[in-house]
Amino acid sequence: MGSHFDAVIIGAGPAGWSAALTLKKAGRHVLVIDQAAFPRHKVCGGFLGAENKNFLDEWGIWSDLKAHGAREIEHIRLASARGDEMICRRKSHGLAGLGVSRRLLDQTFQKAACASGIVFWDATSAVQFIRQEEQWMIELISRADHKKTVVTARHVIHAAGAPAIRKPHPEDLIGASALFENTPAPADE
């Protein structure tokens, strides 16, 4: 039998790391797993909106990203094939966000999470979930050496995205954005 955790989070992207850091701040013992081997390059990502700055500052992530090459974005320029251009700025002409590679974002989240005591297993997949009274028994398998491990947790959080659950049909895909309470955006200047 492996270890017991308050929560096992499946998916080490921004949603998974944010959930893990929030739970850790509340004093919880957390395991994050991801089927990918880290560090990884992933095409998605590339931009963090300014509304994330306060949360990321709590963990030193925003400044760490900037120190390792992320660039502040104050405006965007849209251009058409005909050569028409338009520059879009925030109303306040302040910071819109950070341009950052997904690899750097993942590495920086991982560094902050592991420094806080969050346990991280990459190249690991959850293969079976069994509910036992007040907890889950989760069978994990290492993709590197195919070793099986069983952990228990009171909660399981799936943060690996919908495509990890099933392959979507193109007509099922939709883009979405979400804002969360208790993570205020920086005040406009």
Side-chain angles (χ1 to χ4, degrees):
M1 178 73 70
S3 300
H4 177 76
F5 297 89
D6 294 309
V8 171
I9 298 173
I10 301 167
W17 288 128
S18 295
L21 290 166
T22 300
L23 288 166
K24 187 63 182 176
K25 186 176 180 180
R28 303 300 189 262
H29 184 48
V30 181
L31 168 65
V32 175
I33 67 166
D34 199 287
Q35 65 181 355
F38 278 61
R40 65 176 173 183
H41 176 72
K42 201 170 179 184
V43 178
C44 65
F47 179 81
L48 282 176
E51 67 273 5
N52 298 292
K53 186 177 185 305
N54 289 345
F55 174 78
L56 297 176
D57 272 343
E58 285 182 49
W59 300 95
I61 294 171
W62 191 272
S63 59
D64 203 15
L65 288 169
K66 286 178 55 179
H68 289 92
R71 298 288 182 243
E72 290 186 352
I73 297 173
E74 297 174 0
H75 66 273
I76 60 171
R77 180 185 314 243
L78 302 174
S80 73
R82 295 184 315 198
D84 299 322
E85 289 188 1
M86 176 174 61
I87 295 178
C88 302
R89 299 181 189 278
R90 282 187 51 164
K91 272 186 172 179
S92 66
H93 297 283
L95 178 67
L98 284 181
V100 57
S101 75
R102 182 60 188 267
R103 184 182 185 98
L104 176 59
L105 180 62
D106 285 343
Q107 288 174 322
T108 307
F109 261 122
Q110 179 184 348
K111 176 182 162 190
C114 292
S116 75
I118 292 169
V119 179
F120 175 53
W121 296 347
D122 67 338
T124 301
S125 296
V127 294
Q128 185 174 22
F129 301 86
I130 299 171
R131 184 72 175 163
Q132 295 181 329
E133 297 179 23
E134 298 292 318
Q135 68 181 8
W136 288 95
M137 186 174 76
I138 307 139
E139 183 179 330
L140 307 174
I141 187 164
S142 165
R143 295 169 65 98
D145 61 10
H146 305 287
K147 179 182 171 191
K148 290 184 179 182
T149 304
V150 175
V151 299
T152 58
R154 290 198 60 206
H155 305 282
V156 177
I157 299 172
H158 183 273
I165 299 171
R166 66 175 178 84
K167 298 291 184 203
H169 295 277
E171 62 273 9
D172 291 340
L173 300 177
I174 186 169
S177 177
L179 298 176
F180 299 94
E181 293 180 317
N182 300 323
T183 54
D188 288 339
E189 298 175 11

